[in-house]
């Protein structure tokens, strides 16, 4: 019981919760200022997400890549790096999964599907590993290399799809025979595009937690993230940890790509611009306080909001961009915890007084 | 078309693409030299592009003619500063993680600008088309071959950007203000001991970055696109960050890097004029600037030379 009280007494969850409420309030104020009805808008949002089993399934589909890219960004963050490149790593993962899924289609599916998923993870990891390598060996800021690698990945993925996988006359690849879809759920979720990527994402979160907090290698990685100089002094190989951390981070992002092409679209398009997975991942990682289970919760929140945003514009005529203001505000309040503490101050004061008595 | 005109045009297009990057990377330098990471340049450019489109439109409607684009620039400066204040308050006053509060700017900008556009222009996803700036040939100088066409027949904002590079350089390295700004980014507690108000200098640095990135965004709407839509700013802010790092946080270096990125943008269109380029997949031509950047970084830049206190909130109790 005492332990339970302890969990609920820490602000580790109070601050994000208050931040979420404040974020919704900011959104409501913005809507009021624009002459919209915030209550109608928010209820339209939630009605859209929880209105039917199809919508619930589709919302889960929306959350899945967010979980994985969020984990990717968070993992790099824990090791002291800012991986802006999840976007490119997702694209490379997608491309690897498409190439394996189409070109090795002769294999039986129990071999083909795992192979495509593994290829996606590995290629995403190697792509991120390039940035890690350049940071470790040449001291080049990973922010700049991951930005550059995002663009290179975009054009490279398009090149592969256009040259090797294209349906002539269309802007997309052939259909991919390998599939991660959970077809057995189709009748229950009314053909929503659920896929095994969700299970992979949850497993990745568990792996993230166990690896970083329960293994020696993870301990080293966190030490490098907290203070590379101290870690080096203690005899840890900082460079190797940097490369490894980026590699694992990239695997998460690559798997997100596999889920999208093998589970959702079943083909890969030629992208005109960045699909934006990586930037959503940054937001999710920050919302989740870079903790794996926090990231899962954050992806659920973020996915609910973005999926519901369409309902908001349909049901209450509010531009769906409003949801980005809400999300931005939530992150703002989480980051600037001082503001939240200030809001909560009267409550804290009361509690302390009770203790004195 | 003869080679001289072609080179002149290539130079001219290069500068058009570079202008926005120059402004934004100079902004980044102000912020980061004072010790505040500014990943929010993208969002600040978005605020600027939006404000320029809206301010310019209303000024044009009010019959201000030639002056209308300048009203756009002024609105972009103002909105850029307001946007950057969010970053400043969170990261300086409330000591939030600077990377996170910069990301917040990107989110808020992407959301609020489009929300406002839809609100102001009856649900339309983009602002009405503007006249914007027109190119201004400097008498005499514009007759010089290549650089006459290339440099001295540009948009007013391009001239402004080039002049600003020199001004920012002088301000940062030759004035007491610049020394203080850099001191705050290198060793805030030493600067504090000597009587420099650390947080005030940082506020100034971040607000300058908002103003300059705002102008950078404005130049895109006022010279290139003519409107503001969801894809007007798509990655330029991040390229500006890259230019700043590439240029080692020095205005002259950032200028060089921005021109390099502008050049690689411009060359895409010109390479396709030649027959031999037909054999190269277009994607590889598009990749050139980004691959080159990495190669150049690998071969020239050693350990990055970021300001020492970059990314750390100043806490006087921790000396």
């Amino acid at each position: 019981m005492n332990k339970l009280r302890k969990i609920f007494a820490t602000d580790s969850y109070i601050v994000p919760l208050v931040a979420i409420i404040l974020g919704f309030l900011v959104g409501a104020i913005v809507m009021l200022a624009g002459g919209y009805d915030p209550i109608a808008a928010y209820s339209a949002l939630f009605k859209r997400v929880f209105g039917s089993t199809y919508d619930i399934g589709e919302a889960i589909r929306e959350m899945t890549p967010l979980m994985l890219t969020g984990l990717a960004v968070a993992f790099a963050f824990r090791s002291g790096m800012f991986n802006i490149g999840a976007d490119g790593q997702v694209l490379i993962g997608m491309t690897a999964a498409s190439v394996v899924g189409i070109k090795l289609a002769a294999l039986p599916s129990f071999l083909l599907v795992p192979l495509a998923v593994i290829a996606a993870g590995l290629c995403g990891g190697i792509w991120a590993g390039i940035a890690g390598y350049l940071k470790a060996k040449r001291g080049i800021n990973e922010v700049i290399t991951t930005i550059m690698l995002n663009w290179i990945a975009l054009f490279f993925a398009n090149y592969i799809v256009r040259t090797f996988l294209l349906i002539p006359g269309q802007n997309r690849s052939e259909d991919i025979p390998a599939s991660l879809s959970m077809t057995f759920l189709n009748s229950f979720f009314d053909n929503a595009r659920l896929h095994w990527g969700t299970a992979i994402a949850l497993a990745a979160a568990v792996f993230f937690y166990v690896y970083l907090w329960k293994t020696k290698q993870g301990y080293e990685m966190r030490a490098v993230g907290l203070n590379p100089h101290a870690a080096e002094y203690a005899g840890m190989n900082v460079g190797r940890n940097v490369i490894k951390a980026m590699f694992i981070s990239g695997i998460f992002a690559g798997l997100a790509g596999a889920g999208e092409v093998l589970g959702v679209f079943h083909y890969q398009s030629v992208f005109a611009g960045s699909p934006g997975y990586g930037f959503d991942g940054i937001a999710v990682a920050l919302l989740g306080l870079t903790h794996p289970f926090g990231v899962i919760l954050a992806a659920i929140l973020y996915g609910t909001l973005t999926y519901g945003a369409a309902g908001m514009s349909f049901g209450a005529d509010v531009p769906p961009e409003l949801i980005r203001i809400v999300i931005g505000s939530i992150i703002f309040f989480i980051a600037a915890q001082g503001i939240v503490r200030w809001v909560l101050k009267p409550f804290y004061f009361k509690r302390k007084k009770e203790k004195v008595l | 078309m003869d080679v001289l005109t072609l080179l002149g045009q290539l130079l001219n297009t290069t500068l058009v693409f570079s202008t926005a990057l120059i402004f934004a990377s100079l902004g980044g330098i102000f912020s980061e030299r004072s010790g505040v990471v500014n990943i929010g340049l993208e969002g600040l450019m978005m605020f600027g592009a939006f404000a320029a489109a809206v301010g310019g439109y209303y000024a044009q409607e009010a019959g201000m003619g030639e002056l209308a684009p300048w009203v756009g620039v002024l609105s972009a400066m103002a909105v850029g500063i307001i946007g950057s204040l969010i970053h400043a308050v969170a990261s300086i006053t409330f000591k939030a993680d600077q990377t996170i509060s910069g990301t917040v700017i990107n989110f808020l900008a992407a959301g609020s600008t489009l929300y406002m556009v839809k609100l102001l222009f009856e649900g339309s996803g983009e602002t009405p088309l503007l006249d914007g700036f027109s190119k201004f040939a400097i008498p005499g100088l514009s007759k010089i071959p290549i650089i006459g066409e290339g440099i001295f027949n540009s948009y007013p904002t391009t001239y402004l950007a080039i002049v600003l590079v020199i001004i920012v350089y002088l301000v940062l390295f030759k004035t007491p203000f610049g020394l203080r700004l850099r001191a705050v980014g290198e060793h805030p507690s030493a600067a504090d001991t000597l009587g420099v108000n650390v947080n005030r200098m940082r506020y100034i640095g971040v607000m300058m970055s908002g103003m300059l990135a705002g102008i950078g965004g404005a130049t895109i709407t006022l010279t290139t696109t003519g409107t503001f839509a969801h894809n007007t700013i798509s990655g330029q802010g991040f390229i500006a960050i890259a230019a700043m790092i590439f240029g080692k946080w020095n205005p002259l270096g950032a200028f060089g890097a921005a021109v390099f990125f502008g050049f690689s943008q411009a060359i895409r269109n010109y390479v396709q004029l030649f027959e031999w380029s037909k054999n190269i997949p277009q994607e590889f031509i598009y990749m050139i600037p980004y691959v080159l950047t990495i190669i150049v970084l690998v071969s020239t830049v050693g350990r990055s030379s970021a300001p020492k206190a970059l990314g750390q909130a100043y806490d006087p109790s921790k000396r």
Side-chain angles (χ1 to χ4, degrees):
Chain A
M1 191 60 208
N2 248 340
K3 204 175 174 187
L4 202 72
R5 190 180 293 158
K6 222 183 210 164
I7 292 170
F8 282 94
T10 51
D11 6 312
S12 69
Y13 90 103
I14 293 180
V15 169
L17 217 61
V18 174
I20 291 168
I21 295 168
L22 289 176
F24 275 102
L25 272 178
V26 170
I29 293 167
V30 172
M31 279 191 265
L32 281 176
Y36 300 111
D37 178 359
I39 296 172
Y42 283 139
S43 57
L45 185 152
F46 287 106
K47 219 176 275 164
R48 155 88 180 190
V49 180
F50 301 107
S52 68
T53 51
Y54 172 79
D55 283 320
I56 293 175
E58 280 291 302
I60 293 173
R61 194 249 327 138
E62 177 114 3
M63 292 164 195
T64 304
L66 294 170
M67 290 177 187
L68 282 164
T69 51
L71 290 173
V73 177
F75 195 88
F77 230 96
R78 287 279 173 184
S79 322
M81 271 163 303
F82 191 32
N83 179 8
I84 307 194
D87 218 47
Q89 294 141 25
V90 170
L91 279 169
I92 293 295
M94 276 185 177
T95 312
S98 304
V99 169
V100 172
I102 291 171
K103 294 295 174 192
L104 300 180
L107 291 175
S109 74
F110 72 90
L111 272 177
L112 177 66
V113 175
L115 216 57
V117 172
I118 291 168
L122 273 182
C123 291
I126 291 169
W127 199 254
I130 298 173
Y133 177 83
L134 291 174
K135 166 134 183 161
K137 300 293 175 197
R138 308 288 308 188
I140 301 171
N141 191 315
E142 77 280 6
V143 171
I144 180 169
T145 40
T146 46
I147 293 171
M148 297 299 127
L149 285 169
N150 277 346
W151 290 98
I152 298 172
L154 173 68
F155 299 129
F156 184 68
N158 283 351
Y159 168 73
I160 297 282
V161 172
R162 244 173 26 90
T163 318
F164 301 108
L165 311 173
L166 201 70
I167 299 182
Q170 287 190 40
N171 238 356
R172 69 178 189 84
S173 75
E174 315 164 17
D175 286 329
I176 304 169
S179 167
L180 274 177
S181 294
M182 293 170 147
T183 36
F184 58 95
L185 291 175
N186 274 359
S187 55
F188 183 72
F189 280 105
D190 201 12
N191 292 324
R193 293 167 289 174
L194 285 166
H195 59 88
W196 284 103
T198 316
I200 295 175
L202 296 175
V206 173
F207 168 80
F208 183 143
Y209 178 76
V210 172
Y211 185 81
L212 268 195
W213 279 280
K214 304 290 174 201
T215 71
K216 200 178 123 203
Q217 292 188 23
Y219 176 80
E220 279 198 10
M221 230 168 244
R222 283 185 295 129
V224 168
L226 289 172
N227 189 340
H229 302 294
E232 188 160 24
Y233 188 68
M236 298 169 188
N237 185 336
V238 174
R240 200 175 55 198
N241 274 297
V242 162
I243 298 172
K244 206 158 61 178
M246 282 306 277
F247 180 68
I248 295 175
S249 165
I251 291 179
F252 291 145
L255 291 174
E260 290 297 279
V261 290
L262 301 181
V264 181
F265 299 114
H266 301 292
Y267 63 83
Q268 183 172 344
S269 342
V270 174
F271 291 97
S274 147
Y277 290 107
F279 300 101
D280 293 340
I282 295 172
V284 170
L286 299 177
L287 274 178
L289 304 175
T290 67
H291 189 283
F293 303 136
V295 167
I296 297 295
L297 293 177
I300 292 172
L301 172 70
Y302 193 112
T304 307
L305 292 180
T306 45
Y307 186 74
M312 211 173 62
S313 63
F314 191 71
D317 210 24
V318 178
E321 286 78 19
L322 178 96
I323 226 60
R324 294 212 153 230
I325 303 180
V326 174
I327 292 169
S329 313
I330 296 176
I331 304 174
F332 174 82
F333 289 119
I334 288 181
Q337 301 205 346
I339 297 177
V340 176
R341 295 236 158 77
W342 180 73
V343 171
L344 289 175
K345 217 172 183 178
F347 304 100
Y348 276 94
F349 189 63
K350 216 187 247 165
R351 189 187 289 167
K352 261 183 200 150
K353 228 178 184 177
E354 276 165 16
K355 260 182 202 160
V356 173
L357 290 172
Chain B
M1 206 184 295
D2 72 300
V3 180
L4 285 186
T5 356
L6 205 65
L7 278 178
Q9 283 179 1
L10 179 61
L11 184 57
N12 197 283
T13 321
T14 297
L15 286 178
V16 170
F17 284 128
S18 312
T19 305
L21 299 176
I22 296 172
F23 280 115
S25 58
L26 288 180
I29 288 173
F30 266 109
S31 167
E32 302 221 338
R33 279 282 182 177
S34 77
V36 182
V37 174
N38 202 343
I39 209 91
L41 284 184
E42 174 92 359
L44 294 171
M45 287 182 85
M46 225 177 260
F47 276 128
F50 158 77
V54 174
Y57 168 74
Y58 285 117
Q60 197 175 306
E61 289 294 284
M64 296 179 75
E66 289 282 290
L67 279 177
W70 291 108
V71 175
V73 170
L74 284 179
S75 353
M77 289 162 72
V79 175
I81 291 174
I82 294 169
S84 69
L85 273 175
I86 303 171
H87 184 34
V89 168
S91 67
I92 302 170
T93 306
F94 286 98
K95 299 184 173 42
D97 185 302
Q98 298 172 355
T99 312
I100 302 183
S101 74
T103 309
V104 168
I105 300 282
N106 291 340
F107 262 83
L108 290 181
S112 57
T113 51
L114 280 174
Y115 179 78
M116 296 280 281
V117 167
K118 288 190 177 168
L119 209 60
L120 290 172
F121 302 103
E122 279 105 35
S124 156
E126 80 183 298
T127 59
L129 196 66
L130 292 175
D131 293 338
F133 284 113
S134 36
K135 288 188 179 171
F136 172 74
I138 294 181
L141 291 175
S142 60
K143 296 284 178 285
I144 308 171
I146 305 181
I147 57 167
E149 165 74 25
I151 302 175
F152 298 111
N153 187 18
S154 297
Y155 292 110
T157 43
T158 305
Y159 301 127
L160 188 65
I162 295 171
V163 173
L164 210 60
V165 170
I166 299 160
I167 294 177
V168 170
Y169 178 80
L170 294 176
V171 166
L172 273 184
F173 295 103
K174 307 288 174 198
T175 66
F177 167 80
L179 182 65
R180 285 180 198 135
L181 190 87
R182 284 182 294 131
V184 157
E186 294 289 337
H187 205 313
S189 45
D192 194 11
T193 316
L194 294 172
V196 180
N197 186 334
V198 174
N199 284 357
R200 199 177 70 193
M201 289 311 285
R202 289 189 166 179
Y203 261 90
I204 295 173
V206 173
M207 285 159 73
M208 290 293 282
S209 82
M211 185 182 88
L212 291 170
I215 302 177
T219 60
I220 293 176
T221 38
L222 295 172
T223 65
T224 313
T225 59
T227 66
F228 176 79
H230 71 98
N231 58 354
T232 304
I233 306 292
S234 53
Q236 290 96 329
F238 289 104
I239 299 285
I241 293 172
M244 172 190 71
I245 300 175
F246 202 175
K248 295 195 170 182
W249 289 268
N250 181 316
L252 304 179
F255 170 74
V259 170
F260 169 72
F261 283 118
F263 172 73
S264 12
Q265 283 267 318
I267 195 135
R268 272 189 197 182
N269 309 330
Y270 287 92
V271 165
Q272 283 162 354
L273 294 177
F274 296 100
E275 198 55 39
W276 50 262
S277 73
K278 299 282 184 290
N279 300 321
I280 308 171
Q282 62 187 58
E283 282 89 357
F284 286 104
I285 295 172
Y286 294 167
M287 262 184 228
I288 294 170
Y290 311 107
V291 175
L292 264 183
T293 305
I294 293 182
I295 293 172
V296 171
L297 282 172
V298 168
S299 52
T300 62
V301 186
R303 296 275 144 188
S304 50
S305 44
K308 288 261 162 16
L310 188 60
Q312 298 155 13
Y314 178 57
D315 183 353
S317 64
K318 281 188 207 157
R319 291 237 173 123

